[in-house]
Amino acid sequence: MTFEEALLETIKSRRTIRKYLRDRIPSREIVQRITSIPFYILEDFPIPFLMIVLEDRARDRGVEIITKTYEVARDLALQGNIIPPELRDWYIDYIKQFVRTLGNAPIVLVGLTDLASENRYRNFAVSWMIAQAIMVHARAEGLDTGSFTFTSKSVQTEFVRDFLKMDEKLWQIAFTLNLGYRDEEPLPKEIREDVFVEIT
Amino acid sequence: MIEGKKFFNIYKVLRNYEGRFLDVEIPPKALELIKKSAMYAPFAPNPVQGWRYAILSGAKLDELGLQAPLGMLCFHAYSEDEPNRLAQKGALFAGIYNMRLQAIVMGIASRLILDVDPYVEKAYELTGFSKDEWEFSAIVLLGYPMDRIEPSKAERDVIWRIE
């Protein structure tokens, strides 16, 4: 296998993981490498950006706030539209379990940017390149990730202002990622190949 | 699978390439890998894989006033629901990142244009896409670089660790 084929395999093997080994903690060295990746993207695409790494008790306190909202469940329920009908009941239980614990991931990464100004779409786009870079590199390190959404204003206020102690008018959440070692095998994923059109 | 520690230096040369491109076509196999890498980005649920890439070269790219062996006009599904619109945009840019990463390991540089305002009308005209369905969000130019790519030396204090 060539190097470029190996990279594609890594990209393909990055799947959203919702269940993690709580007691297997990624090493500080690996987490350090993963969390330094934003530097390189921000050099060419400068935006206001901060990444918060939540570990240990801070992770538990953060998760307590996040799981107050039903939005994590709503987002996952939407994704349930792509689950085969025979797996729907299983999926509902799966969501319920995830929402209670956020999958037990030992680390939660929170990407913050400015989504209130006229540059919000650019800021969000660059933030998501960062998120993807983190997810792919985590996979290359043998780790797994999964993004989840919570956007309600009240929870953002409680999380960003009260918990992170930041100005919630300047900083909004662009992404939230679980990080850890997987404790499940994800379902097979169907990929459409007709998303490219050649203009001749 | 690649090995994380050894692979790390590649991020330093994944720069937004502003130089000229060599007049050399991207080999079909390389283009296939680049396209596949974009397809394996995480996607937003409604619609699934709500992105489209229009591939242009030669005279069609000239019509946009851009010079490169290959260009991709990048669209995501349009939504009036703001959270869904952002979710679609995030998924598109995750795919764009994959493409650019896959390209650079094959020595192919990329220029990502985020300010697409000057190209909007022409992009819809060339693709025939409807503005009500597809939101034009970025252009990626791809090609072998004529100039040396300077590795990044950037460091910014963006990480807060709360324990």
Side-chain angles (χ1 to χ4, degrees), chain A residues 110-175:
Chain A
V110 184
L112 297 162
T113 189
D114 165 17
L115 297 179
S117 74
E118 59 181 10
N119 293 324
R120 63 185 177 279
Y121 294 123
R122 178 192 175 91
N123 294 345
F124 193 78
V126 174
S127 297
W128 263 86
M129 287 198 288
I130 291 172
Q132 180 66 7
I134 288 168
M135 291 192 280
V136 171
H137 190 75
R139 197 66 205 111
E141 298 275 8
L143 287 158
D144 288 288
T145 53
S147 78
F148 55 90
T149 309
F150 69 108
T151 52
S152 82
K153 279 186 181 164
S154 60
V155 173
Q156 285 231 25
T157 303
E158 200 175 334
F159 190 81
V160 177
R161 186 190 66 193
D162 301 340
F163 174 56
L164 301 179
K165 311 261 187 271
M166 299 178 66
D167 187 339
E168 82 281 12
K169 293 185 183 67
L170 296 178
W171 295 100
Q172 290 85 37
I173 294 168
F175 61 80

Coordinates of all heavy atoms in Angstrom, one line a residue, chain A residues 110-175:
Chain A
V110 N -13.5 21.3 22.8 CA -14.5 22.3 22.5 C -13.8 23.4 21.6 O -12.8 24.0 22.1 CB -15.1 23.0 23.7 CG1 -16.2 23.9 23.3 CG2 -15.7 21.9 24.7
G111 N -14.2 23.6 20.4 CA -13.7 24.6 19.5 C -14.6 25.8 19.6 O -15.8 25.7 19.4
L112 N -14.0 27.0 19.9 CA -14.8 28.2 20.0 C -14.4 29.2 19.0 O -13.2 29.4 18.7 CB -14.6 28.9 21.4 CG -15.1 28.0 22.6 CD1 -14.4 28.6 23.9 CD2 -16.6 28.1 22.8
T113 N -15.3 29.9 18.4 CA -15.0 31.0 17.5 C -16.1 32.0 17.6 O -17.0 32.0 18.4 CB -14.9 30.4 16.0 OG1 -14.3 31.5 15.2 CG2 -16.2 30.0 15.4
D114 N -16.0 33.0 16.7 CA -17.0 34.1 16.7 C -18.1 33.8 15.7 O -17.8 33.8 14.5 CB -16.3 35.4 16.4 CG -17.2 36.5 16.0 OD1 -18.4 36.4 16.3 OD2 -16.8 37.5 15.4
L115 N -19.2 33.4 16.1 CA -20.3 33.1 15.2 C -21.4 34.2 15.2 O -22.5 34.0 14.8 CB -20.9 31.8 15.5 CG -20.0 30.5 15.4 CD1 -20.8 29.3 15.8 CD2 -19.5 30.4 14.0
A116 N -21.0 35.3 15.8 CA -22.0 36.4 16.0 C -21.8 37.5 14.9 O -22.7 38.3 14.6 CB -22.0 37.0 17.4
S117 N -20.6 37.6 14.4 CA -20.3 38.7 13.5 C -20.6 38.3 12.0 O -21.0 37.2 11.7 CB -18.8 39.1 13.6 OG -18.0 38.1 13.0
E118 N -20.3 39.3 11.1 CA -20.6 39.0 9.7 C -19.6 38.0 9.2 O -19.8 37.4 8.1 CB -20.5 40.3 8.9 CG -19.1 41.0 9.1 CD -19.0 42.3 8.3 OE1 -20.1 42.7 7.8 OE2 -17.9 42.8 8.2
N119 N -18.5 37.7 9.9 CA -17.6 36.7 9.4 C -17.9 35.3 9.9 O -17.1 34.4 9.8 CB -16.2 37.0 9.9 CG -15.6 38.3 9.3 OD1 -15.9 38.6 8.1 ND2 -14.9 39.1 10.1
R120 N -19.1 35.1 10.4 CA -19.4 33.8 11.1 C -19.3 32.6 10.1 O -18.9 31.6 10.6 CB -20.8 33.9 11.7 CG -22.0 34.0 10.8 CD -23.3 34.2 11.6 NE -24.4 34.4 10.8 CZ -24.8 35.6 10.3 NH1 -24.0 36.6 10.5 NH2 -25.8 35.7 9.6
Y121 N -19.7 32.8 8.9 CA -19.6 31.6 8.0 C -18.2 31.2 7.7 O -17.8 30.0 7.7 CB -20.4 31.8 6.7 CG -21.9 32.0 7.0 CD1 -22.5 33.1 6.5 CD2 -22.6 31.0 7.6 CE1 -23.9 33.3 6.8 CE2 -23.9 31.1 7.9 CZ -24.6 32.3 7.5 OH -25.9 32.4 7.8
R122 N -17.3 32.2 7.5 CA -15.9 31.9 7.3 C -15.3 31.3 8.6 O -14.6 30.3 8.5 CB -15.2 33.2 7.0 CG -13.7 33.1 6.8 CD -12.9 34.4 6.8 NE -11.5 34.2 6.7 CZ -10.8 34.1 5.6 NH1 -11.4 34.3 4.5 NH2 -9.5 33.9 5.7
N123 N -15.7 31.9 9.7 CA -15.1 31.3 11.0 C -15.6 29.9 11.2 O -14.8 29.1 11.7 CB -15.6 32.2 12.2 CG -15.0 33.6 12.1 OD1 -14.0 33.9 11.4 ND2 -15.6 34.5 12.8
F124 N -16.8 29.6 10.9 CA -17.3 28.3 11.1 C -16.6 27.3 10.1 O -16.3 26.2 10.5 CB -18.8 28.3 10.9 CG -19.5 27.0 11.3 CD1 -19.7 26.8 12.7 CD2 -19.8 26.0 10.4 CE1 -20.3 25.6 13.1 CE2 -20.4 24.8 10.9 CZ -20.7 24.6 12.2
A125 N -16.5 27.7 8.9 CA -15.8 26.9 7.9 C -14.4 26.5 8.3 O -14.0 25.3 8.3 CB -15.8 27.6 6.5
V126 N -13.6 27.5 8.7 CA -12.2 27.2 9.2 C -12.2 26.4 10.4 O -11.4 25.4 10.5 CB -11.5 28.5 9.4 CG1 -10.1 28.3 9.9 CG2 -11.4 29.3 8.1
S127 N -13.2 26.6 11.3 CA -13.2 25.8 12.5 C -13.5 24.3 12.2 O -12.9 23.4 12.8 CB -14.4 26.3 13.4 OG -14.1 27.6 13.9
W128 N -14.3 24.1 11.2 CA -14.6 22.7 10.8 C -13.4 22.0 10.1 O -13.3 20.8 10.1 CB -15.9 22.6 10.1 CG -16.9 22.2 11.2 CD1 -17.5 23.1 12.1 CD2 -17.1 20.9 11.7 NE1 -18.2 22.3 13.0 CE2 -18.0 21.0 12.8 CE3 -16.8 19.6 11.3 CZ2 -18.5 19.9 13.5 CZ3 -17.2 18.5 12.0 CH2 -18.1 18.7 13.1
M129 N -12.6 22.8 9.4 CA -11.4 22.2 8.8 C -10.5 21.8 10.0 O -9.9 20.7 10.0 CB -10.6 23.2 7.9 CG -11.3 23.4 6.6 SD -10.3 24.1 5.3 CE -10.1 25.8 5.9
I130 N -10.5 22.6 11.0 CA -9.7 22.2 12.2 C -10.3 21.0 12.9 O -9.5 20.0 13.2 CB -9.7 23.4 13.3 CG1 -8.8 24.6 12.7 CG2 -9.2 23.0 14.6 CD1 -8.9 25.9 13.5
A131 N -11.6 20.9 13.0 CA -12.2 19.8 13.6 C -11.9 18.5 12.8 O -11.5 17.5 13.4 CB -13.7 20.0 13.7
Q132 N -11.9 18.6 11.5 CA -11.7 17.4 10.7 C -10.2 17.0 10.8 O -9.9 15.8 10.9 CB -12.0 17.7 9.2 CG -11.8 16.5 8.3 CD -12.6 15.3 8.5 OE1 -13.6 15.4 9.4 NE2 -12.4 14.2 7.9
A133 N -9.3 18.0 10.8 CA -7.9 17.7 11.0 C -7.6 17.0 12.3 O -6.9 16.0 12.3 CB -7.1 19.0 11.0
I134 N -8.3 17.4 13.3 CA -8.2 16.7 14.6 C -8.7 15.3 14.5 O -8.1 14.3 15.0 CB -8.9 17.5 15.7 CG1 -8.2 18.8 16.0 CG2 -9.1 16.7 17.0 CD1 -9.0 19.8 16.9
M135 N -9.8 15.1 13.9 CA -10.5 13.8 13.8 C -9.6 12.8 13.0 O -9.4 11.7 13.4 CB -11.9 13.9 13.3 CG -12.8 14.6 14.2 SD -14.6 14.4 13.8 CE -14.8 15.7 12.6
V136 N -9.1 13.3 11.9 CA -8.2 12.4 11.1 C -6.9 12.1 11.8 O -6.5 10.9 11.9 CB -7.9 13.1 9.7 CG1 -6.9 12.3 8.9 CG2 -9.2 13.2 8.9
H137 N -6.3 13.1 12.4 CA -5.1 12.8 13.1 C -5.3 11.9 14.3 O -4.4 11.0 14.6 CB -4.3 14.1 13.5 CG -2.9 13.8 14.0 ND1 -1.9 13.4 13.1 CD2 -2.4 13.6 15.2 CE1 -0.9 13.1 13.8 NE2 -1.1 13.2 15.1
A138 N -6.4 12.1 15.0 CA -6.7 11.2 16.2 C -6.7 9.8 15.7 O -6.2 8.9 16.3 CB -8.0 11.6 16.8
R139 N -7.3 9.6 14.6 CA -7.4 8.2 14.0 C -6.0 7.7 13.7 O -5.7 6.5 13.9 CB -8.3 8.3 12.7 CG -8.8 7.0 12.3 CD -9.8 6.4 13.3 NE -9.8 4.9 13.1 CZ -9.3 4.1 14.0 NH1 -8.8 4.5 15.2 NH2 -9.4 2.8 13.8
A140 N -5.2 8.5 13.2 CA -3.8 8.1 12.8 C -3.0 7.7 14.1 O -2.1 7.0 14.1 CB -3.1 9.2 12.1
E141 N -3.5 8.3 15.2 CA -2.8 8.0 16.5 C -3.5 6.8 17.2 O -3.2 6.5 18.4 CB -2.9 9.2 17.5 CG -2.1 10.4 16.9 CD -0.7 10.4 17.2 OE1 -0.2 9.4 17.7 OE2 0.0 11.4 17.0
G142 N -4.5 6.2 16.5 CA -5.2 5.0 17.1 C -6.4 5.4 18.0 O -6.9 4.6 18.7
L143 N -6.7 6.7 18.0 CA -7.8 7.2 18.8 C -9.1 7.4 18.0 O -9.0 7.3 16.7 CB -7.4 8.5 19.4 CG -6.4 8.5 20.6 CD1 -5.7 9.8 20.7 CD2 -7.1 8.1 21.9
D144 N -10.2 7.6 18.7 CA -11.4 7.9 18.0 C -12.1 9.2 18.5 O -11.7 9.7 19.5 CB -12.4 6.7 18.2 CG -11.9 5.5 17.4 OD1 -12.1 5.5 16.2 OD2 -11.4 4.6 18.0
T145 N -13.0 9.7 17.6 CA -13.7 10.9 18.0 C -15.1 10.8 17.6 O -15.5 9.9 16.9 CB -13.0 12.1 17.1 OG1 -13.0 11.7 15.8 CG2 -11.6 12.4 17.6
G146 N -15.9 11.8 18.0 CA -17.3 11.9 17.5 C -17.8 13.3 17.9 O -17.5 13.7 19.0
S147 N -18.4 14.0 16.9 CA -18.8 15.3 17.2 C -20.3 15.2 17.7 O -21.0 14.3 17.3 CB -18.7 16.2 16.0 OG -19.7 16.0 15.1
F148 N -20.7 16.2 18.5 CA -22.1 16.2 19.0 C -22.4 17.7 19.1 O -21.5 18.6 19.2 CB -22.3 15.5 20.3 CG -21.4 15.9 21.4 CD1 -21.8 16.9 22.2 CD2 -20.2 15.3 21.6 CE1 -20.9 17.3 23.3 CE2 -19.4 15.6 22.6 CZ -19.7 16.7 23.5
T149 N -23.7 18.0 19.0 CA -24.2 19.4 18.9 C -24.9 19.8 20.1 O -25.8 19.0 20.6 CB -25.1 19.5 17.7 OG1 -24.4 18.9 16.6 CG2 -25.5 20.9 17.4
F150 N -24.7 21.0 20.6 CA -25.6 21.6 21.5 C -25.6 23.1 21.3 O -24.5 23.7 21.4 CB -25.4 21.2 23.0 CG -24.1 21.7 23.6 CD1 -24.2 22.7 24.6 CD2 -22.9 21.2 23.3 CE1 -23.1 23.2 25.2 CE2 -21.7 21.7 23.8 CZ -21.8 22.7 24.8
T151 N -26.7 23.7 20.9 CA -26.6 25.1 20.5 C -27.6 25.9 21.2 O -27.7 27.1 20.9 CB -26.9 25.1 19.0 OG1 -28.1 24.4 18.7 CG2 -25.8 24.6 18.1
S152 N -28.4 25.4 22.2 CA -29.4 26.2 22.8 C -28.7 27.4 23.5 O -27.6 27.2 24.1 CB -30.3 25.4 23.8 OG -29.6 25.3 25.0
K153 N -29.3 28.6 23.5 CA -28.7 29.8 24.0 C -28.4 29.6 25.5 O -27.4 30.0 26.0 CB -29.5 31.0 23.7 CG -29.3 31.5 22.3 CD -30.0 32.8 22.0 CE -29.7 33.1 20.6 NZ -30.6 34.2 20.1
S154 N -29.4 29.0 26.2 CA -29.3 28.9 27.7 C -28.1 28.1 28.1 O -27.3 28.4 29.0 CB -30.6 28.4 28.3 OG -30.8 27.1 27.8
V155 N -27.9 26.9 27.4 CA -26.8 26.0 27.7 C -25.5 26.7 27.3 O -24.5 26.6 28.0 CB -27.0 24.7 27.1 CG1 -25.8 23.8 27.3 CG2 -28.2 24.0 27.7
Q156 N -25.5 27.3 26.1 CA -24.3 28.0 25.7 C -23.8 29.0 26.8 O -22.7 29.2 27.1 CB -24.5 28.7 24.4 CG -24.5 27.8 23.2 CD -23.5 28.2 22.1 OE1 -22.5 28.9 22.3 NE2 -23.8 27.7 20.9
T157 N -24.8 29.7 27.3 CA -24.5 30.7 28.3 C -23.9 30.1 29.5 O -22.9 30.5 30.1 CB -25.8 31.5 28.7 OG1 -26.3 32.1 27.5 CG2 -25.5 32.6 29.7
E158 N -24.6 29.0 30.0 CA -24.1 28.3 31.2 C -22.8 27.7 30.9 O -21.9 27.7 31.8 CB -25.1 27.2 31.5 CG -25.0 26.8 33.0 CD -26.1 25.8 33.4 OE1 -27.2 25.8 32.7 OE2 -25.8 25.0 34.2
F159 N -22.5 27.2 29.7 CA -21.3 26.5 29.4 C -20.2 27.5 29.2 O -19.1 27.4 29.8 CB -21.5 25.6 28.2 CG -20.3 24.7 27.9 CD1 -20.2 23.5 28.6 CD2 -19.4 25.0 27.0 CE1 -19.1 22.6 28.4 CE2 -18.3 24.1 26.8 CZ -18.2 22.9 27.5
V160 N -20.4 28.4 28.3 CA -19.3 29.4 27.8 C -19.1 30.4 28.9 O -17.9 30.7 29.3 CB -19.7 30.0 26.5 CG1 -18.6 31.0 26.1 CG2 -19.8 29.0 25.4
R161 N -20.1 31.1 29.4 CA -20.0 32.2 30.4 C -19.7 31.7 31.8 O -18.7 32.0 32.4 CB -21.2 33.0 30.4 CG -21.1 34.3 31.2 CD -22.4 35.0 31.4 NE -23.3 34.2 32.2 CZ -24.6 34.4 32.4 NH1 -25.2 35.4 31.7 NH2 -25.3 33.6 33.1
D162 N -20.5 30.8 32.3 CA -20.4 30.4 33.7 C -19.3 29.3 33.9 O -18.6 29.4 34.9 CB -21.7 29.9 34.2 CG -22.8 31.0 34.0 OD1 -22.5 32.1 33.9 OD2 -24.0 30.6 34.0
F163 N -19.2 28.4 33.0 CA -18.3 27.3 33.2 C -16.9 27.6 32.7 O -15.9 27.6 33.4 CB -18.8 26.0 32.6 CG -17.9 24.9 32.6 CD1 -17.3 24.4 33.8 CD2 -17.5 24.2 31.5 CE1 -16.5 23.3 33.9 CE2 -16.7 23.1 31.5 CZ -16.1 22.7 32.7
L164 N -16.8 28.1 31.4 CA -15.5 28.4 30.8 C -15.0 29.8 31.2 O -13.9 30.2 31.0 CB -15.6 28.3 29.3 CG -15.9 26.9 28.7 CD1 -16.0 26.9 27.2 CD2 -15.0 25.8 29.2
K165 N -15.9 30.6 31.7 CA -15.6 32.0 32.2 C -15.2 32.8 31.0 O -14.2 33.6 31.1 CB -14.6 32.0 33.3 CG -14.8 31.0 34.4 CD -15.4 31.8 35.6 CE -15.6 30.9 36.8 NZ -16.8 30.2 36.9
M166 N -15.9 32.7 29.9 CA -15.5 33.5 28.8 C -16.7 34.4 28.4 O -17.9 34.1 28.7 CB -15.1 32.6 27.6 CG -13.9 31.8 28.0 SD -13.5 30.7 26.7 CE -13.0 31.8 25.5
D167 N -16.4 35.4 27.6 CA -17.5 36.3 27.1 C -18.3 35.6 26.1 O -17.9 35.4 24.9 CB -16.9 37.6 26.6 CG -18.0 38.6 26.2 OD1 -19.1 38.2 26.0 OD2 -17.6 39.8 26.1
E168 N -19.6 35.2 26.4 CA -20.4 34.4 25.5 C -20.9 35.3 24.3 O -21.4 34.7 23.3 CB -21.6 33.8 26.2 CG -22.8 34.7 26.5 CD -22.6 35.6 27.6 OE1 -21.5 35.8 28.2 OE2 -23.6 36.3 28.0
K169 N -20.7 36.6 24.4 CA -21.1 37.4 23.2 C -20.0 37.4 22.1 O -20.2 37.6 21.0 CB -21.4 38.8 23.6 CG -22.6 38.9 24.5 CD -22.9 40.4 24.8 CE -24.1 40.5 25.7 NZ -23.8 40.0 27.1
L170 N -18.7 37.1 22.6 CA -17.6 37.1 21.6 C -17.3 35.6 21.2 O -16.8 35.4 20.1 CB -16.3 37.6 22.3 CG -16.4 39.1 22.7 CD1 -15.1 39.4 23.4 CD2 -16.5 40.0 21.5
W171 N -17.6 34.7 22.0 CA -17.2 33.3 21.7 C -18.4 32.4 21.7 O -19.1 32.3 22.7 CB -16.2 32.8 22.8 CG -14.9 33.5 22.8 CD1 -14.5 34.5 23.6 CD2 -13.8 33.3 21.9 NE1 -13.3 35.0 23.3 CE2 -12.8 34.3 22.2 CE3 -13.6 32.5 20.8 CZ2 -11.6 34.4 21.6 CZ3 -12.4 32.6 20.1 CH2 -11.4 33.5 20.5
Q172 N -18.5 31.7 20.6 CA -19.6 30.7 20.5 C -19.0 29.3 20.1 O -17.9 29.3 19.6 CB -20.6 31.1 19.4 CG -21.5 32.3 19.9 CD -20.8 33.6 19.5 OE1 -20.2 33.8 18.5 NE2 -21.0 34.6 20.4
I173 N -19.7 28.3 20.4 CA -19.2 26.9 20.1 C -19.3 26.6 18.7 O -20.4 26.6 18.1 CB -19.9 25.9 21.0 CG1 -19.6 26.2 22.5 CG2 -19.5 24.5 20.6 CD1 -20.5 25.5 23.4
A174 N -18.2 26.3 18.0 CA -18.2 25.8 16.6 C -18.3 24.3 16.5 O -18.9 23.8 15.6 CB -16.9 26.3 15.9
F175 N -17.6 23.6 17.5 CA -17.7 22.2 17.5 C -17.4 21.6 18.9 O -16.7 22.3 19.7 CB -16.8 21.5 16.4 CG -15.3 21.8 16.6 CD1 -14.6 21.0 17.6 CD2 -14.6 22.7 15.9 CE1 -13.2 21.3 17.7 CE2 -13.3 23.0 16.0 CZ -12.6 22.2 17.0

